[in-house]
Amino acid sequence: MDNLSYLSNAHSSYIDSLYQSYLQDPESVDFGWQKFFEGFDFGREAEGKVAQDGNSDHFLKEMKVMNMIYGYRQRGHLFTKTNPVRERRKYYPGKELETFGLAESDLDTVFNAGAEVGLGPATLRDIHNLLEQTYCQSIGAEFVYIRNPHKVKWFRERMERERNTPNLSIETKKRILKKLNEAVVFENFLGTKFLGQKRFSLEGAESLIPGLDYVIEKGAELGIEEFVIGMAHRGRLNVLANIMNKTYKDIFAEFEGRAFDESKPYGGDVKYHLGFSTDVETESGKKVHLSLCPNPSHLEAVDPVVEGISRSKIDFKYNGDNTRLAPILIHGDSSIAGQGIVYEVLQMAKLDGYKTGGTIHLVINNQVGFTTNYKDARSSTYCTDVAKVTLSPVFHVNGDDVEALIYAIGMAVEYRQRFHNDVFIDILCYRRYGHNEADEPKFTQPSLYKIIEQHPNPREIYNKKLLEQGSVDASLAKEMEKDFRALLQERLNESKESNTYEPNPMFSGAWSGLRMAKPEDFEETSQTAVPKDALTKIAEKITSLPADKNFFKKIEKLFEDRKKMVQNETFDWAMGELLAYGTLLDEGFRVRVSGQDVERGTFSHRHAVVKMEDSEEEYVPLCEIQKEGSANKFDIYNSHLSEYGVLGFEYGYALANPQSLTIWEAQFGDFVNGAQTILDQFLVSAETKWQRSNGLVLLLPHGYEGQGPEHSSGRIERFLEQCAENNIQVANCTTPANFFHLLRRQLKRDFRKPLVVFTPKSLLRHPLCVSNISEFTEGHFKEVIDDAFVKPKDVKRVLFCTGKVYYDLLEKQQVDKRGDVAIVRVEQVYPIPYTQLKAVKEKYNKAEEFIWVQEEPENMGAWPFICRKFRNSSFNLEVISRKESSSTATGYSKQHISQQLYIVGKSFEDAAGKEVKKSVVKTTKKVVNVD
């Protein structure tokens, strides 16, 4: 409470002299004193009443009362009655009157400082009672650190006017009791009917259900039409049943194991990870759509996915109006404090490319992790202290005081809708059992669980309170329980008698018209070519700069060079990529690209956004392509320095709208390992776990050019080891045209699969890595590109490769005129193009050797996957690569060059030669300085 502590110690005559100076000229004193004296004068004039004691001692005490008021606002949350099962920790200094230089003898003295809290001149007793009731009961409010004075004033006036005390109607109280009854009885029913099965009970935190119900009711009242919810497994079944209205019958069917259907290609997931969506009607008759995202056991991993889904729907469904949709994230106390992804997501909250208008955060604060005490789970005072990063307000609420929770939620939702910022509600509660129902919590928290055993549940506490108030009949709660338990038993009986179970349909809403892919789909060719006139028109548009704008000279030169490409009808990698985007935009699709430095491109090749030389004004050529009557739009955003958070966000964005080409690009391919949780738990497995498809594209710069262990490999082996059931697509293209067709193919099929592309670095400017316009206007994506130089009858050795190493091999082949060695490019590594590869094998029927060539060490790259997939096949493949290694690449340029020359030489059973060496050295010198 040191906000104005200097007042307590200031000499009264000095303060009086400052006040006299202020009266003569307000500007003669510091701004802080100006505001203080303004408030003091306001208090003296309020309602024409003035405290009569005008001496300097009373004047000083006025200031001490002001100090007390600010102290309660700032630190009152430390002294609340918010913990239902523990004594709160002690904090010093405390909130005693003596802390502020006041005494009990002052309690009946009238102070003008009462005007500061809306009382006008009032006794210290009345001022103190107001502060105690407002800031130190069942709600602890943290808000004074917010730097926007309008927001602080809004909270202060709202809370002090109402004293943070709910005044609910009888009908609202009955609805709260009904939702508490559902929450408590549901858990009890599951515990008795499915004994021993994991359900991660909500018991101890049942107030979440009426709380979440009120978020929806209040939000709908304030214009919210849709909520996207993310939460972990604790209490998820209760939320599904009593908030999402998933039928009890279906939930019981999952407990009975009826969700499994061996005729369908889904592995499924445990019941407390599943998602659901539905429409509900509020008490006032408003329709609200609710989506609960599926999630893994990785706590907080769903957070960025929820934000991405929300932003996608705000963009497409609500035309950018974020007051009509709100994300809700339900955290655990240990996970919100311990998981770094929370911080990554919070840092998105106000960024143009990622903001969603404010997230409502609810924390189920059990005060314990799996077995870890809260004192061992964080260094911060509160589990929610991360909220201060974005200056988000926090309300700490006693989970046993459900009306206080409803009140805090109402204020939080109003704040979100008014100010479009995140807000946190920390529900202090407890976990009645261990981490799961079979776990014994007394091993690690014996004292706490002795208290919990004797502690009544929130329904019992609230029912007792209502009976004491005379708000309900004594029999109401019993009748509610009896009726609800009978309903649950009826649904359980129906579930046992039924053999049918239908999960939420995938291909509805935004996914209507799409379907699950079939194996034969990957044998078909998609029509991705673009007529020459249309392509040329788009190319001219995206290579033109406004004549009335002043651009950097190097940018003007870059665009002049691109214009020459249009004239010469030959395009490099950057132009191939930009033409893919431009043609899709022209056809009415939306394109979104995000990641670190994507606007320019890590390697200064894209320049999708260009700046004026003398200002921060931006020009985005692709935004000039608009299809009349279409919602197409090109968005490209440099992200903050996050992989886990941003990749999760883009996954969610693509999940919500399959008609958008959504792309995440890593700064270097290596950095994707920072997002491994999203890859493992969502990207590669969501379709088999949750029957949820996704068309997200990952661009991972990859290639061995002497940049060292951290900037060489996108870890293709990690993706390939997770490839199964045609779950994702993995490609490593060698031409701009093939990359163009690959990107366009994502939106040209009636199904969606994630696409992982290992993109080039040195090839961005390689003189041979170009494509003629005919390859864009007549071609399609080629999973395999055969060797056009050799004659099949002369070929003795066939080299299979993927990506940039092709050009090193090509140079050796061409320099030495090696017609006996064919180089075949595998552009799509997965799904494996078996048909095309078998045709290659048959074509080169005179060949004696078939070899896989790669730049990566033998234990990395595509080889471990290729070896496994082609074992015991007629190809009888061998491998040429770097020797196996624990690190992806050497950090020494000379060693890199030596290894690269070895691979090329070994591939042709000859020395690499001077020309190849010259080329490798040149590439290394060009690329090695980019970091």
Side-chain angles (χ1 to χ4, degrees):
M1 298 182 181
D2 53 2
N3 194 40
L4 292 175
S5 59
Y6 60 91
L7 296 177
S8 304
N9 305 316
H11 195 278
S12 59
S13 61
Y14 170 68
I15 297 172
D16 186 57
S17 68
L18 281 177
Y19 183 55
Q20 296 304 320
S21 298
Y22 167 78
L23 291 175
Q24 294 177 19
D25 178 14
E27 297 297 323
S28 66
V29 299
D30 287 343
F31 179 76
W33 284 107
Q34 287 180 40
K35 303 311 288 183
F36 174 77
F37 290 133
E38 283 175 16
F40 179 70
D41 285 347
F42 174 78
R44 287 169 59 97
E45 296 166 5
E47 302 176 17
K49 299 176 183 177
V50 180
Q52 296 303 307
D53 188 352
N55 63 46
S56 59
D57 287 341
H58 183 82
F59 186 54
L60 181 58
K61 282 193 175 181
E62 287 276 9
M63 297 176 194
K64 291 177 178 178
V65 176
M66 288 291 288
N67 191 25
M68 181 183 74
I69 292 169
Y70 282 112
Y72 267 86
R73 290 170 178 169
Q74 187 177 56
R75 294 181 73 239
H77 58 85
L78 295 172
F79 309 99
T80 54
K81 301 168 184 174
T82 48
N83 199 319
V85 291
R86 296 184 197 255
E87 285 293 321
R88 288 212 60 182
R89 287 183 282 184
K90 304 298 181 185
Y91 295 93
Y92 300 95
K95 60 184 177 71
E96 299 79 13
L97 290 174
E98 291 74 17
T99 299
F100 308 100
L102 298 166
E104 287 195 16
S105 59
D106 298 315
L107 284 172
D108 294 317
T109 303
V110 175
F111 291 96
N112 291 313
E116 173 67 16
V117 291
L119 292 177
T123 64
L124 178 60
R125 188 183 308 277
D126 288 342
I127 295 169
H128 186 262
N129 287 344
L130 181 147
L131 295 173
E132 277 286 317
Q133 189 175 353
T134 303
Y135 294 111
C136 294
Q137 298 305 307
S138 291
I139 299 173
E142 292 189 273
F143 68 100
V144 295
Y145 49 75
I146 298 173
R147 293 172 191 155
N148 184 325
H150 300 294
K151 296 177 183 178
V152 174
K153 182 181 179 184
W154 185 84
F155 275 123
R156 188 182 69 226
E157 291 182 348
R158 166 76 181 268
M159 290 189 290
E160 290 171 4
R161 181 177 65 248
E162 300 174 354
R163 302 195 179 196
N164 269 349
T165 302
N167 182 20
L168 305 177
S169 68
I170 295 296
E171 289 307 310
T172 300
K173 291 180 179 182
K174 287 182 177 179
R175 182 172 178 86
I176 292 171
L177 182 61
K178 175 177 178 289
K179 299 309 288 186
L180 272 177
N181 181 71
E182 291 173 357
V184 170
V185 176
F186 179 75
E187 294 292 358
N188 180 264
F189 188 85
L190 291 181
T192 55
K193 299 297 181 180
F194 300 100
L195 196 63
Q197 285 207 41
K198 284 185 185 179
R199 54 190 165 91
F200 294 97
S201 158
L202 189 60
E203 286 162 284
E206 292 98 333
S207 293
L208 174 72
I209 297 303
L212 199 50
D213 178 66
Y214 194 69
V215 171
I216 296 161
E217 292 285 330
K218 186 68 176 179
E221 177 188 313
L222 297 175
I224 299 176
E225 300 172 29
E226 182 168 358
F227 290 95
V228 181
I229 307 169
M231 69 181 297
H233 38 281
R234 174 81 50 213
R236 188 181 190 86
L237 294 175
N238 213 314
V239 169
L240 282 165
N242 296 315
I243 296 296
M244 305 296 296
N245 294 340
K246 183 173 182 177
T247 67
Y248 301 115
K249 175 186 170 184
D250 282 349
I251 292 173
F252 298 151
E254 290 164 0
F255 272 93
E256 298 279 356
R258 288 191 175 84
F260 173 66
D261 184 347
E262 63 181 16
S263 67
K264 294 182 179 179
Y266 308 124
D269 200 352
V270 291
K271 50 194 169 291
Y272 40 81
H273 287 173
L274 303 178
F276 193 74
S277 62
T278 188
D279 292 308
V280 299
E281 186 172 324
T282 66
E283 289 287 284
S284 60
K286 296 183 182 295
K287 292 280 176 61
V288 180
H289 186 71
L290 305 178
S291 301
L292 178 63
C293 299
N295 75 290
S297 282
H298 293 63
L299 301 178
E300 308 294 344
V302 77
D303 296 359
V305 179
V306 167
E307 300 295 341
I309 292 171
S310 300
R311 176 57 182 264
S312 186
K313 290 190 172 189
I314 288 167
D315 285 349
F316 292 97
K317 191 173 177 181
Y318 299 110
N319 298 314
D321 184 355
N322 56 31
T323 65
R324 297 168 66 188
L325 180 148
I328 300 173
L329 293 178
I330 303 174
H331 311 272
D333 53 313
S334 292
S335 60
I336 193 173
Q339 292 293 300
I341 186 59
V342 176
Y343 180 86
E344 291 188 35
V345 171
L346 276 181
Q347 283 289 15
M348 296 181 185
K350 298 181 181 180
L351 302 180
D352 286 343
Y354 309 93
K355 60 187 178 185
T356 57
T359 298
I360 299 165
H361 301 263
L362 303 175
V363 182
I364 302 175
N365 190 341
N366 293 315
Q367 308 181 63
V368 64
F370 194 138
T371 64
T372 303
N373 280 313
Y374 72 97
K375 289 182 180 179
D376 298 321
R378 61 180 185 267
S379 297
S380 58
T381 301
Y382 294 115
C383 63
T384 52
D385 279 348
V386 70
K388 296 179 177 69
V389 170
T390 51
L391 304 179
S392 300
V394 181
F395 297 98
H396 307 280
V397 187
N398 189 321
D400 276 355
D401 190 343
V402 66
E403 288 191 6
L405 177 59
I406 296 301
Y407 177 85
I409 281 173
M411 188 159 39
V413 176
E414 283 186 43
Y415 175 81
R416 190 270 176 188
Q417 287 298 87
R418 180 184 290 261
F419 296 109
H420 315 299
N421 288 150
D422 286 26
V423 60
F424 288 71
I425 299 161
D426 176 20
I427 308 170
L428 282 102
C429 48
Y430 54 92
R431 190 184 67 195
R432 186 161 292 280
Y433 303 109
H435 178 65
N436 60 64
E437 290 66 36
D439 199 28
E440 176 51 77
K442 288 183 181 177
F443 286 144
T444 50
Q445 283 84 28
S447 299
L448 175 62
Y449 273 86
K450 284 180 183 177
I451 297 170
I452 290 174
E453 276 182 345
Q454 305 301 317
H455 194 76
N457 66 50
R459 183 192 62 166
E460 293 170 339
I461 293 170
Y462 190 54
N463 187 52
K464 181 181 178 183
K465 178 180 179 179
L466 294 182
L467 289 173
E468 290 171 352
Q469 293 175 346
S471 299
V472 299
D473 294 331
S475 61
L476 180 60
K478 291 181 180 178
E479 290 173 4
M480 282 183 173
E481 177 175 358
K482 180 182 176 183
D483 292 345
F484 187 57
R485 195 175 289 277
L487 173 66
L488 293 177
Q489 185 62 54
E490 184 180 330
R491 296 295 177 265
L492 176 59
N493 294 339
E494 290 177 6
S495 171
K496 289 181 176 180
E497 293 169 4
S498 173
N499 290 319
T500 61
Y501 171 84
E502 285 297 328
N504 250 170
M506 168 65 199
F507 300 104
S508 58
W511 286 79
S512 294
L514 297 173
R515 60 177 176 82
M516 198 66 75
K518 298 174 288 189
E520 54 268 27
D521 291 327
F522 299 97
E523 298 291 331
E524 297 176 3
T525 298
S526 300
Q527 299 304 311
T528 53
V530 176
K532 185 175 181 179
D533 289 346
L535 189 78
T536 303
K537 182 179 177 182
I538 291 165
E540 289 172 348
K541 191 169 285 190
I542 65 176
T543 57
S544 299
L545 295 173
D548 60 339
K549 303 289 185 183
N550 186 22
F551 293 94
F552 188 43
K553 294 299 180 187
K554 288 185 178 180
I555 289 293
E556 291 178 348
K557 173 66 165 58
L558 174 75
F559 275 72
E560 287 171 10
D561 291 343
R562 287 181 174 177
K563 269 201 172 300
K564 289 177 183 175
M565 292 184 203
V566 181
Q567 295 164 5
N568 297 332
E569 299 189 341
T570 302
F571 302 110
D572 66 4
W573 192 276
M575 276 297 287
E577 178 187 346
L578 296 172
L579 284 170
Y581 303 153
T583 53
L584 287 171
L585 289 166
D586 188 56
E587 292 166 9
F589 294 102
R590 193 160 181 156
V591 177
R592 175 186 167 94
V593 184
S594 113
Q596 295 156 27
D597 313 298
V598 295
E599 293 179 5
R600 189 203 75 171
T602 301
F603 311 101
S604 196
H605 75 287
R606 184 174 291 121
H607 293 282
V609 179
V610 291
K611 297 273 184 80
M612 306 301 134
E613 186 173 29
D614 50 4
S615 73
E616 289 299 307
E617 183 184 352
E618 295 178 343
Y619 178 70
V620 184
L622 282 164
C623 287
E624 302 303 308
I625 300 172
Q626 294 290 335
K627 185 175 179 65
E628 193 171 340
S630 169
N632 72 324
K633 186 182 178 185
F634 178 70
D635 290 317
I636 186 165
Y637 297 104
N638 286 340
S639 74
H640 63 316
L641 202 65
S642 156
E643 288 83 31
Y644 189 172
V646 178
L647 179 56
F649 185 99
E650 300 305 338
Y651 177 88
Y653 198 97
L655 184 64
N657 192 347
Q659 300 306 325
S660 167
L661 182 67
T662 305
I663 298 173
W664 177 76
E665 181 177 60
Q667 189 181 67
F668 283 86
D670 315 58
F671 297 162
V672 73
N673 60 12
Q676 198 67 44
T677 300
I678 298 297
L679 301 178
D680 294 348
Q681 307 305 323
F682 292 92
L683 192 84
V684 304
S685 59
E687 198 168 70
T688 187
K689 289 193 299 186
W690 307 318
Q691 301 181 37
R692 290 295 177 262
S693 299
N694 199 295
L696 180 64
V697 178
L698 275 63
L699 303 183
L700 308 179
H702 172 94
Y704 282 60
E705 289 120 344
Q707 288 184 278
E710 308 307 323
H711 295 329
S712 297
S713 174
R715 294 286 194 171
I716 189 171
E717 65 276 1
R718 290 182 177 170
F719 289 91
L720 291 174
E721 75 175 9
Q722 297 186 90
C723 287
E725 304 168 313
N726 296 322
N727 59 335
I728 62 173
Q729 306 162 96
V730 179
N732 192 354
C733 301
T734 57
T735 74
N738 221 26
F739 185 46
F740 167 89
H741 291 295
L742 179 64
L743 291 174
R744 285 178 52 78
R745 189 180 72 171
Q746 276 299 93
L747 297 182
K748 291 297 181 178
R749 302 191 289 199
D750 59 354
F751 61 89
R752 297 289 181 265
K753 292 284 184 180
L755 171 62
V756 182
V757 188
F758 292 86
T759 53
K761 294 173 289 180
S762 62
L763 296 191
L764 297 172
R765 295 173 179 83
H766 196 292
L768 296 181
C769 189
V770 294
S771 298
N772 184 270
I773 196 169
S774 62
E775 297 176 66
F776 297 85
T777 61
E778 299 171 9
H780 56 81
F781 178 68
K782 299 176 181 177
E783 290 85 354
V784 175
I785 301 179
D786 199 358
D787 194 328
F789 170 70
V790 299
K791 296 178 180 178
K793 63 181 180 63
D794 298 330
V795 172
K796 302 299 182 186
R797 171 180 280 198
V798 179
L799 305 177
F800 292 103
C801 65
T802 186
K804 169 246 167 189
V805 72
Y806 163 74
Y807 287 94
D808 292 336
L809 298 173
L810 177 66
E811 183 155 17
K812 172 67 176 175
Q813 182 199 53
Q814 296 300 301
V815 167
D816 293 355
K817 306 296 182 187
R818 290 291 298 269
D820 61 325
V821 179
I823 309 171
V824 179
R825 289 169 273 175
V826 182
E827 303 279 287
Q828 177 178 292
V829 187
Y830 190 82
I832 297 173
Y834 285 112
T835 302
Q836 293 96 316
L837 291 174
K838 286 176 182 176
V840 167
K841 175 85 169 51
E842 291 171 4
K843 176 181 176 181
Y844 298 113
N845 55 13
K846 303 291 186 184
E848 299 167 358
E849 296 177 287
F850 292 88
I851 300 173
W852 180 262
V853 182
Q854 65 177 37
E855 299 179 296
E856 300 87 353
E858 184 177 346
N859 57 316
M860 301 178 190
W863 172 245
F865 175 78
I866 294 294
C867 181
R868 177 166 62 86
K869 286 295 184 179
F870 285 88
R871 66 180 183 272
N872 301 323
S873 74
S874 61
F875 283 85
N876 196 24
L877 283 169
E878 294 294 336
V879 64
I880 295 173
S881 66
R882 282 172 168 79
K883 67 178 182 179
E884 65 179 24
S885 170
S886 58
S887 176
T888 54
T890 178
Y892 302 110
S893 295
K894 286 186 178 180
Q895 188 173 11
H896 159 75
I897 292 167
S898 174
Q899 291 172 346
Q900 202 73 6
L901 294 177
Y902 164 80
I903 290 170
V904 175
K906 184 69 174 175
S907 297
F908 290 87
E909 289 297 345
D910 190 10
K914 292 181 179 179
E915 292 300 318
V916 174
K917 183 176 181 179
K918 182 179 176 182
S919 176
V920 170
V921 170
K922 183 179 178 182
T923 297
T924 302
K925 286 182 177 179
K926 272 188 176 182
V927 178
V928 77
N929 292 323
V930 180
D931 196 328

